Amino acid sequence: MQGENLTTWSFFFLEGFSRYPKLEIVLFVFSLGMYLITILGNSTLILITILEPRLQTPMYLFLGNLSFMDVCYTSASIPTLLVNLLSSQKTIIFSGCAVQMYLSLAMGSVECVLLAVMAYDRYVAICNPLRYPIVMNRQVCVQMATVSWVTGCLTALLETSFALQIPLCGNLINHFTCEILAVLKLACTSSLLMDLTMLVVSVLLLPVPMLLICISYVFILSTILRISSAEGRSKAFSTCGAHLTVVILYYGAALSMYLKPSSSSSEVDKIISLLYGMLTPMLNPIIYSLRNKEVKDAMKKLLGKMSLHQTHENL
């Protein structure tokens, strides 16, 4: 069959979970609930990191970026999933597919780099506390966050540009979004350049940041174990526990999706994508709030102000 570039298709069919029609309503309710929790939780976290003076620190600057990225990531794919779960015509136009592919790649790449940056921040805070205000000053933090965004957006642009040039032999995507690996399965021929690009980007944005995170935590753990007081060790562990939990969830799903054998089941791919694209962004604000007294106090303060404002309006 004569292959066509991705740009020659005006729309695509998303197979999604159409093989299980009885489950689509359940998946709709489940996905909608998780999406609303994700938006509410991350938006609240962004708001309090901006409004609360005590949270104007490097850790919360990076956390605000992480929350904003999670909102963008889920909003790029979940609304389409929700519409298609209730629709008999599960389609997406070309421009929507291209934007969805780019945003999912960009936000995922940004998170990889940002989690490594946050690990370095915790390393400096625990291993070099006296130098922390100097090393992690406002200018450095903004530069590190900017590098995370630029790196993620540029690598995603590179991957998406190559994907748009590959000849495709169909427009039925066996996925619930325009996920790049699902789109590439429609390729008429293999592309050495695309395969090489995907491999290099996957190595640079998955194992390399993960290695840096592991190195940071080796030094962090070594320093914590040398703390004499149990209270000091507990406090040090609590500042790292949330970040480490998020790292395990995120990299576990990401490594499973991008470094697995190409012959693996498409249904498994979809389940991993749901975990990767919905569960982690939803849990991030919860994980960072549960054992964080500063965040919980800031939330109570914000809710108190909103309640007081509503009372004054009613009067």
Side-chain angles (χ1 to χ4, degrees):
M1 181 185 293
Q2 180 71 29
E4 302 184 52
N5 283 359
L6 183 58
T7 50
T8 64
W9 297 101
S10 60
F11 65 92
F12 294 89
F13 292 100
L14 297 171
E15 183 172 328
F17 298 95
S18 56
R19 296 181 186 179
Y20 312 99
K22 293 181 180 179
L23 289 177
E24 288 191 320
I25 296 297
V26 176
L27 286 172
F28 174 82
V29 174
F30 175 74
S31 301
L32 178 62
M34 291 184 70
Y35 180 60
L36 292 176
I37 293 171
T38 298
I39 298 300
L40 178 62
N42 284 288
S43 298
T44 302
L45 207 51
I46 293 170
L47 191 61
I48 63 174
T49 56
I50 293 173
L51 298 179
E52 178 55 50
R54 290 184 301 169
L55 301 185
Q56 303 296 317
T57 63
M59 183 176 76
Y60 294 108
L61 170 66
F62 297 135
L63 184 55
N65 276 266
L66 183 66
S67 292
F68 178 71
M69 184 279 307
D70 282 337
V71 170
C72 294
Y73 184 84
T74 52
S75 297
S77 58
I78 303 306
T80 302
L81 169 65
L82 294 173
V83 171
N84 287 339
L85 283 172
L86 298 180
S87 173
S88 57
Q89 293 292 325
K90 306 178 190 303
T91 60
I92 185 171
I93 61 174
F94 160 73
S95 58
C97 186
V99 169
Q100 196 176 78
M101 183 189 298
Y102 172 75
L103 285 177
S104 63
L105 286 170
M107 297 304 104
S109 300
V110 169
E111 183 158 3
C112 287
V113 182
L114 197 56
L115 288 174
V117 168
M118 294 173 75
Y120 176 74
D121 171 69
R122 292 300 82 205
Y123 159 74
V124 178
I126 293 174
C127 300
N128 297 284
L130 296 180
R131 291 180 51 81
Y132 182 72
I134 300 172
V135 176
M136 299 300 292
N137 61 67
R138 182 75 178 181
Q139 183 179 355
V140 170
C141 292
V142 170
Q143 289 173 347
M144 293 174 77
T146 302
V147 168
S148 300
W149 282 94
V150 171
T151 301
C153 291
L154 288 182
T155 54
L157 182 62
L158 182 66
E159 291 180 286
T160 306
S161 299
F162 282 136
L164 296 178
Q165 303 304 317
I166 293 179
L168 302 180
C169 290
N171 66 340
L172 174 61
I173 300 173
N174 188 14
H175 210 277
F176 58 85
T177 68
C178 285
E179 200 269 334
I180 189 168
L181 295 179
V183 172
L184 292 178
K185 287 182 179 179
L186 300 176
C188 300
T189 58
S190 61
S191 169
L192 179 60
L193 182 59
M194 186 67 211
D195 291 344
L196 185 61
T197 301
M198 289 285 291
L199 177 62
V200 171
V201 171
S202 295
V203 170
L204 288 177
L205 294 179
L206 287 173
V208 171
M210 193 171 182
L211 177 62
L212 296 176
I213 292 171
C214 290
I215 293 172
S216 296
Y217 273 100
V218 167
F219 286 105
I220 289 171
L221 184 60
S222 175
T223 301
I224 290 176
L225 293 176
R226 291 199 302 266
I227 299 176
S228 57
S229 69
E231 183 181 352
R233 285 196 300 269
S234 176
K235 185 177 180 180
F237 271 123
S238 67
T239 63
C240 301
H243 176 259
L244 194 55
T245 304
V246 169
V247 166
I248 292 171
L249 282 172
Y250 178 80
Y251 276 100
L255 288 170
S256 299
M257 183 158 58
Y258 286 103
L259 299 181
K260 66 184 183 309
S262 59
S263 60
S264 63
S265 168
S266 61
E267 300 307 312
V268 173
D269 290 352
K270 295 173 190 177
I271 293 172
I272 294 174
S273 293
L274 270 178
L275 172 67
Y276 179 77
M278 294 180 62
L279 186 60
T280 305
M282 183 190 74
L283 290 178
N284 281 353
I286 298 173
I287 292 169
Y288 276 102
S289 302
L290 283 178
R291 297 184 62 187
N292 192 314
K293 187 176 183 300
E294 291 177 323
V295 172
K296 287 190 285 189
D297 289 345
M299 284 185 176
K300 290 177 183 177
K301 185 177 178 181
L302 178 63
L303 291 173
K305 287 182 178 180
M306 292 173 62
S307 177
L308 185 62
H309 180 70
Q310 186 66 37
T311 302
H312 284 179
E313 282 189 345
N314 292 337
L315 292 175

